[in-house]
Structures are given as C-alpha cells and as structure tokens.
C-alpha cells in the first residue's frame, strides 16, 4: 500500500485524534541520502513515529559505485544522521549494489512495517529514461507499507555551482591534450593508413583517459575524439560534413565505446578504492585484536588501544574509565592533549548515552568523537578520538571503523573484568579450602594432645595418691610431651601467619654452622633416642649472616620431618658445604622418599605425603621452612636419594642482605 502525505495530513496524523490507531508491532524506517531533502524526510518520520508511539530507524544505503558521491555529500550525510540520532532514531548503514533491493531486504530482516521515502518532482521525461527509486521500492515492498513524502523542487543552481567547483579541470585539459596529440599523429600517418583504421588511435586515447583521468574526463575525450576525427581526418577535411554516411556508424561506435570503457574503468577504480579501504580497515582491526589478545590486564589493554588506534587513524586517542564513581582519563597516546573541556565532554557522553543504543556521541562544541565502550547494555568507559583532519569525523567509513575499535576495546575490557572476577573467585575458593583444611587440622591436632594431657591429669587427680612414684612420673612426662607438642603446633600456626603476612623481622648476625647444628639437635635429644645423626661439615665453612633463632627452627623442622617419615633406628644426616657465594645445607633420611610428582607440593601448606601410614602432623613444617629460608634470600628444594630416602637442600647466600 502506498500513501502520499501532504503537510496538513501529517499534522492530523500526529495529533491526539489522528487517523491511524497505534499498532502493537509497528516499526518505521526512513531512507536517506546526501540529498538536501533528507532533512525533511527524517523530521517527517520522527513525527510519524512519535504520533504512532513506535520505534523508527534511519538507513543510509552506500552503493559500490557511490564512493565519489559519498565524498561529495559526506558532510550532509553526516549532518542528517546526527539529526536522526538527536531525534532518537536507530542509525544503520548498509553497503549494497542495488538501493531498492537493499532497502526492502533490510526492512524485511528488521521487521519494518512502514517505509518512508521521498519523491522529488522531476520532469516527466526523465522518469521514462530512468524509473524513480520510489517506484522500484513500491514494486518490491510486498506487504510492507510505503509512505511517499512529496518534495517540492527547489532552486538547484547553487547546488550545481557547488559541484562545479569540484570538477577536475586538470583532467579535462589533459583529455584535450591527448586528443590533440592523437590528431597530430593521425595527420602524419594519414597518407599511409586508411581513415577508418585511425579510429584506433583515438580509441587508445579514450582508454588512457578512462584509466587515468576518470569518467567525466574520458567522456569528454571521447566526444572531442569524434569531432576531431570528423573535422581533421574524414574527408572533406576541416568540416563536420562527411562524404560517406558509413562514417556516422564509426563516430557513434567510437563515442559509445569510449563511454562504456570510461564507465567500466571508473566503476572498477571505485571498487578498487573501496577494497583498499576495507583492506586497511581489516588490517587495523587485526593489529588491534592481536594486541588485545596479548593484553592481560586493563592497563595493557588501554595501552594497546591508544597505540594501535592512534597509529591506524593518525589521531589523538584517549580512554576514559570509571573510577570511584567518576570518569577518569586512564590512558592517552603520546600525541594526545586532553584537558578539562574534553574530560567534561567525555563525562557527558558516558552519563548521557543510552546503553541499549550504543550510539556514537559527538557533544556540541567539541570536535572529538566519544564512543561508549559497552557490552550487554553496560557501559565500561569512553573511547575518545580526535582525527587530524576534521572532515574525517563526517566520513561514514571512519565512523564504522572507530565503532569497530570501540567494540573490540569493550570486549577486551569485559574479558579483563571477567578474568578478575574469576581470579577473585579462585582466591575465595582457595581461601575457603585453606580454612577448611586448617579447621580440620587444628581440630585433630589440638584434640590429640589435649586428650592425652586431660587423661594424664585426670588419672593423677583421681588416683594420684594410689599410684607409685614411677607411674606418676610417667604420666607427668606424657603430659609434658603432649604439652610441648601442642606448643609446637600453636607456634607453627603463629609462624605461618607471620610468614604469610610478611611480618618477619630478621636479626642477622654472623653465625657458625656448627653452632646452628648443635642448637637444632638439643631440643630433639629426647626424641632421637637410639637414632644416629651423621654430621658432615666442611672444614672451610665461613660465618653466615642469618637469624640464628629462625634458622634453628628450619633445621629442627627438617629433622622432625625426617624422624616422622623414616623407619625407626635408621640414621639421619646433616651435611654442609660452601659453594661459590652460597652455603648448602642438606638434611637426609632413609625413608621411602616422595613420589616424583609430589616433590613440588611438599612445601605447600597443609600438604602431607600419604606415606608412611600413621604419620601425623599438620603439614605446616616444610611450608614454614620455605618461608623462613626465602626470607633470608635463600631457596629450599627436595630430591629423592638413589637407593631410598629424601634429601632436603637449603641454600643461603653469603654476606648478602635481603
């Protein structure tokens, strides 16, 4: 259905008592171009959509042969699209070969129910030569309603004067020169070659003009070639009359071939330019995506964006991200100059952009582009761009490219945000696991000595006077050992807390390794019983800068670990030697060792090797050793001994403050 809307009808349509009821699923679409009448079409559609309370969109169809047209009208196209944005329209740009088919296909795919197009009043004879676009749209529209807005013809002399300034006069002059050269060559060889064969010289000139000078200059060259060939070559000479009417076919063929070749070459050049521009855009997007893929955090993402976008567009680029309830400049390329004015404009774009539209914002009074960085309706920041050539802000291809840049940046920022959330979730999960392990370990390792102590004290309390002296001493010794065990356990927990909090304060002083070994063996004397401890210390061991108390605890924990995980009556060994600038201290046992895949885990908190069965402990001893050794600037590692056993190696730097 097609309806022509007059101005007074439009006013009645948008009035409260309009002619049309409000449909439930109405969606309007208006088609615009670089025409000076697009402004009226947009405002007309806005009134229609407002009166019908329906969403509407503005579609600009860019044809493959429309490169020149876009260059000439890009400022007007940009202004029309900006006007539609301010009126609340959804903006879409489509590239297609056929405008009418593209409009109808887009309307069908987006469930548009009404299409609004304009119909300027042109001379009737022009419509016979080229059917109007509106007629083709109506023919293809099917069930979609088409509203044709009548447009009065206005004075276009000023418009023609504007386009005349852009004519390539140099190309026309070159075309005239080519025709002159072809004529001179033809006059020289005219006595040797038939005139009909000389047409090829003029045809070659037309082809050169089409390749080098463009469509209009080539058409002019073809026309001048026909005149020159008739005037100078075809008898009678120096007159436009012809002696043989067959030359008229030659003239027509020469002109038509010139027009066709020039049109084909111009179309091919325009498509080649479009392909080159798309290739450049694709290359720029690929470089940015590759840099963003390697970025691991927000800072590296922002750095990749400002560098790649700035290099691709030769522009000043800045990224604004929210921080503490305010939008702040997070990154800018080295050429960027962003002050308070730009900061205010970016904040305006950030807080005033509708998240569901994803519009490109160009605030009034600013020649910068501000694009919202958003995904799934959430605005993550603003990408600010200032191009060196101000007119490029009005280029649709540049707008699409910067919109793609903004989309990639938003996805990268969302990925970093999700990675932070995942990392935080892993930390919480690990903390929960650690707390659960700590609770299980504390509940078990506290209960065991407490039960023993409580049992011994209960026996002494109830039956103390009836027990012999030897029995009372055994109970007291058992309670004492369990109390010491409990004290060591609580001490390990406190030491582990201090190590994790980084609150260890070392009191380094020159210490002798032999004294260190003696201090470590003293508290273990009661537990060693008949165990042999082999001590192998090099004679040339120097004094070592270390905290004697903490290093004694390290050695005690290593010896206790050897006692716990090795069979009774098997020996332990302590070895020490100097190598380069290090002291290497080794503690060895003759136990079953540790599976190779478990060696890297034995220094983790609460980790206990599953062999031998019945070995107790909290799994904190080796973890505390690692923290104390690393606090001295050293390292600790474990390795299996050939033939059975485990060797723990501690390296401490000599005369090195850490």
């Amino acid at each position: 259905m097609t309806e022509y809307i007059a101005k007074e009808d439009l006013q009645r349509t948008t009035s409260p008592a309009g002619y049309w009821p409000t449909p439930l699923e109405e969606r309007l679409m208006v088609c615009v171009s670089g025409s000076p009448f697009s402004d009226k079409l947009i405002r007309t559609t806005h009134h229609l959509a407002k009166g019908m309370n329906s969403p509407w969109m503005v579609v600009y169809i860019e044809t493959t042969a429309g490169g020149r047209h876009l260059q000439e009208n890009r400022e007007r196209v940009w202004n029309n699209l900006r006007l539609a944005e301010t009126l609340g329209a959804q903006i879409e740009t489509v590239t297609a070969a056929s405008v009418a088919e593209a409009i109808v296909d887009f309307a069908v795919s987006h469930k548009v129910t009404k299409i609004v197009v304009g119909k300027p009043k042109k001379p009737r004879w022009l419509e016979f030569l080229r059917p109007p676009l509106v007629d083709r749209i109506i023919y293809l529209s099917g069930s979609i309603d088409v509203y044709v807005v009548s447009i009065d013809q206005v004075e276009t002399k000023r418009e023609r004067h504007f386009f005349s300034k852009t004519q390539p006069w140099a190309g026309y002059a070159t075309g005239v020169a080519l025709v002159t050269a072809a004529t001179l060559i033809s006059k020289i060889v005219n006595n040797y070659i038939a005139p009909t064969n000389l047409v090829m010289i003029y045809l070659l000139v037309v082809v050169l003009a089409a390749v080098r000078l463009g469509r209009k200059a080539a058409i002019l060259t073809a026309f001048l070639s026909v005149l020159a060939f008739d005037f100078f070559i075809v008898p009678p000479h120096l007159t436009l009359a012809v002696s043989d009417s067959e030359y008229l076919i030659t003239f027509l063929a020469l002109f038509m071939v010139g027009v066709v070749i020039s049109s084909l070459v111009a179309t091919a050049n325009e498509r080649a330019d479009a392909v080159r521009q798309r290739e450049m855009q694709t290359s720029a997007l690929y470089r940015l995506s590759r840099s963003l893929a390697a970025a691991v955090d927000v800072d590296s993402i922002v750095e990749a964006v400002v560098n790649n976008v700035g290099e691709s567009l030769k522009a000043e680029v800045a990224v604004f991200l929210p921080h503490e309830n305010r939008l702040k400049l997070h990154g800018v390329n080295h050429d960027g100059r962003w002050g308070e004015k730009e900061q205010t404009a970016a904040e305006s774009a950030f807080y005033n952009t509708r998240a569901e539209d994803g519009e490109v914002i160009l605030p009034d009074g600013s020649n910068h582009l501000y694009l919202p960085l958003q995904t799934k309706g959430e605005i993550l920041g603003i990408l600010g761009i200032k191009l060196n050539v101000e007119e490029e802000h009005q280029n649709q291809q540049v707008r699409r490219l910067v919109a793609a840049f903004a989309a990639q940046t938003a996805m990268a920022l969302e990925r970093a945000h999700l990675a932070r959330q995942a990392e935080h979730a892993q930390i919480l999960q690990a903390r929960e696991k650690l707390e659960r392990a700590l609770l299980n370990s504390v509940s078990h390792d506290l209960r065991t000595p407490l039960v023993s102590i409580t049992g011994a004290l209960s026996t002494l309390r109830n039956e103390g006077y009836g027990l012999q002296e030897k029995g009372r001493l055994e109970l007291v010794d058992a309670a004492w050992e369990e109390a010491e065990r409990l004290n060591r356990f609580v001490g390990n927990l406190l030491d582990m807390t201090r190590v994790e909090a980084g609150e260890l304060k070392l009191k380094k002083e020159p210490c002798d390794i032999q004294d260190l070994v003696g201090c470590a063996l003293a508290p273990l004397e009661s537990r060693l019983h008949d165990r042999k401890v082999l001590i192998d210390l090099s004679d040339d061991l120097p004094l070592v800068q270390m905290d004697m108390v903490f290093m004694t605890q390290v050695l005690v924990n290593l010896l206790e670990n050897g006692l716990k995980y090795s069979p009774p009556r098997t020996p332990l060994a302590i070895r020490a030697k100097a190598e380069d600038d290090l002291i290497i201290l080794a503690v060895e046992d003759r136990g079953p060792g540790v599976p190779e895949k478990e060696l890297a885990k034995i220094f983790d908190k609460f980790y206990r090797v599953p062999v031998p069965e019945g070995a107790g402990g909290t799994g904190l001893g080796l973890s505390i050793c690692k923290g104390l050794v690393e606090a001295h600037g050293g390292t600790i590692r474990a390795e299996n001994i050939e033939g059975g056993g485990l060797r723990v190696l501690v390296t401490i730097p000599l005369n090195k403050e850490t």
Side-chain angles (χ1 to χ4, degrees):
M1 182 184 73
T2 304
E3 298 191 17
Y4 292 85
I5 307 172
K7 183 176 181 181
E8 57 274 10
D9 295 331
L10 175 62
Q11 292 174 348
R12 290 196 299 269
T13 298
T14 57
S15 62
Y19 286 98
W20 295 313
T22 302
L24 294 178
E25 297 294 335
E26 292 287 3
R27 185 181 296 269
L28 281 72
M29 183 182 79
V30 59
C31 310
V32 299
S33 65
S35 168
F37 312 115
S38 295
D39 178 276
K40 180 179 179 181
L41 288 177
I42 292 172
R43 296 184 184 278
T44 300
T45 310
H46 169 63
H47 288 303
L48 284 172
K50 185 176 179 181
M52 302 171 67
N53 194 23
S54 302
W56 64 295
M57 61 179 62
V58 175
V59 178
Y60 172 69
I61 306 297
E62 179 182 346
T63 61
T64 55
R68 174 185 56 82
H69 178 74
L70 177 61
Q71 293 296 323
E72 294 174 348
N73 298 279
R74 59 184 180 181
E75 181 175 359
R76 185 180 294 126
V77 171
W78 170 260
N79 291 332
N80 290 335
L81 295 178
R82 278 199 60 200
L83 171 63
E85 287 178 344
T86 59
L87 295 177
Q90 178 183 346
I91 306 302
E92 297 289 347
T93 301
V94 179
T95 301
S98 172
V99 176
E101 293 179 359
I103 290 174
V104 176
D105 291 342
F106 184 88
V108 172
S109 62
H110 289 74
K111 299 180 180 179
V112 172
T113 59
K114 300 182 186 300
I115 301 176
V116 179
V117 293
K119 187 181 186 304
K121 293 181 179 179
K122 294 183 178 180
R124 194 67 180 175
W125 61 272
L126 287 178
E127 296 184 359
F128 287 104
L129 296 177
R130 184 177 183 181
L133 175 63
V134 62
D135 292 346
R136 285 176 283 167
I137 294 175
I138 295 172
Y139 177 76
L140 298 172
S141 61
S143 61
I144 301 176
D145 298 338
V146 179
Y147 295 95
V148 181
V149 179
S150 301
I151 298 175
D152 295 332
Q153 186 73 16
V154 297
E155 181 61 43
T156 58
K157 292 182 179 180
R158 185 178 304 173
E159 194 72 22
R160 296 193 189 98
H161 177 70
F162 170 78
F163 287 114
S164 66
K165 294 180 181 179
T166 62
Q167 297 294 345
W169 295 111
Y172 295 156
T174 304
V176 173
L178 288 174
V179 173
T180 302
T183 302
L184 293 176
I185 295 174
S186 299
K187 290 294 291 183
I188 294 174
V189 300
N190 190 24
N191 296 330
Y192 308 99
I193 300 177
T196 53
N197 295 328
L198 295 179
V199 173
M200 303 305 298
I201 298 178
Y202 289 98
L203 186 60
L204 177 62
V205 167
V206 173
V207 172
L208 291 176
V211 173
R212 295 293 182 180
L213 306 180
R215 179 188 287 111
K216 292 184 178 181
I219 293 175
L220 176 64
T221 303
F223 179 73
L224 294 178
S225 296
V226 172
L227 294 181
F229 181 69
D230 183 16
F231 193 79
F232 294 103
I233 305 302
V234 175
H237 298 158
L238 303 180
T239 178
L240 295 179
V242 293
S243 58
D244 190 348
S245 59
E246 292 182 356
Y247 280 111
L248 296 178
I249 300 177
T250 303
F251 298 157
L252 179 61
L254 176 59
F255 181 73
M256 293 302 298
V257 169
V259 171
V260 171
I261 291 177
S262 61
S263 299
L264 293 176
V265 171
T267 301
N269 289 337
E270 290 172 357
R271 292 181 177 177
D273 291 338
V275 169
R276 282 194 295 270
Q277 291 179 358
R278 296 294 171 86
E279 182 182 3
M280 293 174 59
Q281 294 176 3
T282 303
S283 177
L285 292 173
Y286 171 73
R287 289 195 302 270
L288 178 60
S289 62
R290 185 176 58 183
S291 299
L292 292 178
V296 296
D297 54 16
V298 174
D299 292 335
S300 56
I301 290 174
V302 171
E303 181 180 1
V305 169
V306 296
N307 291 336
N308 282 273
V309 176
E311 181 180 354
S312 299
L313 298 178
K314 308 300 180 185
E316 300 176 15
V317 181
V319 176
F320 298 86
L321 299 178
H323 179 70
E324 296 180 354
N325 299 324
R326 186 181 177 187
L327 194 70
K328 289 189 176 181
L329 180 64
H330 196 88
V332 62
N333 59 347
H334 62 280
D335 295 329
R337 295 177 295 275
W338 301 77
E340 290 296 328
K341 178 182 177 182
E342 289 75 17
Q343 174 76 26
T344 303
E347 290 180 353
S348 175
F350 181 76
Y351 292 111
N352 296 330
T353 300
R354 293 176 297 178
E356 66 273 11
D357 291 343
E359 299 171 346
V360 176
I361 303 297
L362 183 61
D364 295 336
S366 172
N367 58 352
H368 295 64
L369 283 173
Y370 297 93
L371 295 93
L373 305 175
Q374 67 176 41
T375 56
K376 299 180 181 178
E378 179 183 1
I379 300 178
L380 305 177
I382 293 293
L383 175 63
I385 299 176
K386 180 184 179 183
L387 300 170
N388 293 331
V389 181
E390 186 173 349
E391 288 76 10
E392 291 296 331
H393 288 84
Q394 305 160 359
N395 192 321
Q396 286 295 306
Q397 294 182 352
V398 172
R399 283 191 64 187
R400 286 197 297 269
L401 182 59
V402 297
F405 284 149
Q408 282 195 339
T409 305
M411 287 188 291
L413 290 175
E414 184 183 38
R415 172 173 54 84
H417 180 65
L418 294 177
R420 287 198 305 269
Q421 289 182 340
E423 182 180 359
H424 183 64
Q426 290 179 352
I427 292 174
L428 291 178
Q429 184 178 6
R431 181 179 299 174
E432 182 181 355
K433 182 179 179 181
L434 180 61
E435 291 174 350
R436 186 167 54 250
L438 177 60
L439 180 61
N440 294 336
S441 178
V442 168
S443 62
H444 177 271
D445 290 294
L446 282 179
R447 183 183 298 273
T448 302
L450 284 176
V451 169
S452 300
I453 294 172
T454 303
L457 293 177
S458 176
T459 302
L460 288 173
R461 179 181 179 183
N462 297 329
E463 305 176 8
Y465 295 103
L467 293 175
Q468 297 181 1
E469 184 68 20
K470 182 180 179 180
R472 288 197 301 270
L473 291 177
E474 289 178 352
L475 289 174
V476 170
D477 290 340
W480 178 262
E481 289 179 0
E482 294 299 328
E484 283 189 333
R485 177 182 174 187
L486 182 60
N487 183 57
R488 287 195 302 271
F489 174 70
V490 175
N492 283 339
L493 290 177
L494 294 176
D495 290 338
M496 193 71 251
T497 302
R498 294 168 63 190
V499 169
E500 288 187 336
E503 296 179 355
L504 283 179
K505 296 182 180 179
L506 304 180
K507 296 180 180 179
K508 290 187 176 182
E509 56 184 1
C511 299
D512 185 23
I513 297 298
Q514 190 170 358
D515 294 340
L516 174 65
V517 174
C519 293
L521 290 175
L524 296 175
E525 185 175 355
S526 61
R527 299 184 60 190
L528 290 173
H529 299 297
D530 56 348
R531 289 265 193 146
K532 291 183 179 180
V533 179
L534 305 177
I535 301 176
D536 180 15
L537 306 179
S538 299
D539 297 332
D540 57 347
L541 289 177
L543 298 179
V544 184
Q545 290 283 344
M546 62 182 177
D547 189 309
M548 177 64 82
V549 176
F550 286 134
M551 288 307 300
T552 299
Q553 184 177 353
V554 170
L555 192 54
V556 168
N557 287 351
L558 295 180
L559 290 171
E560 284 185 335
N561 192 73
L563 288 172
K564 186 187 307 180
Y565 289 97
S566 61
R569 292 185 296 278
T570 57
L572 300 176
I574 302 174
R575 308 181 191 278
K577 65 178 180 178
E579 187 175 298
D580 298 331
D581 294 332
L582 299 173
I583 288 291
I584 301 177
L585 183 65
V587 177
E588 302 174 357
D589 63 56
R590 296 302 176 184
V594 177
E596 291 293 333
K597 62 181 181 179
E598 307 289 336
L599 280 174
K601 300 180 180 179
I602 63 174
F603 297 101
D604 295 342
K605 288 182 297 184
F606 303 110
Y607 180 82
R608 287 183 289 189
V609 179
V611 292
E613 295 188 11
T618 61
L620 291 175
L622 293 181
S623 180
I624 293 173
C625 291
K626 180 181 179 183
L628 294 176
V629 171
E630 290 179 348
H632 282 80
T635 61
I636 185 171
R637 64 184 179 89
E639 62 184 19
N640 288 314
I641 301 175
E642 186 176 354
L646 182 70
R647 179 186 295 117
V648 180
L649 297 170
V650 176
T651 60
I652 304 173
L654 288 171
N655 302 322
K656 182 178 179 182
E657 295 294 336
T658 58

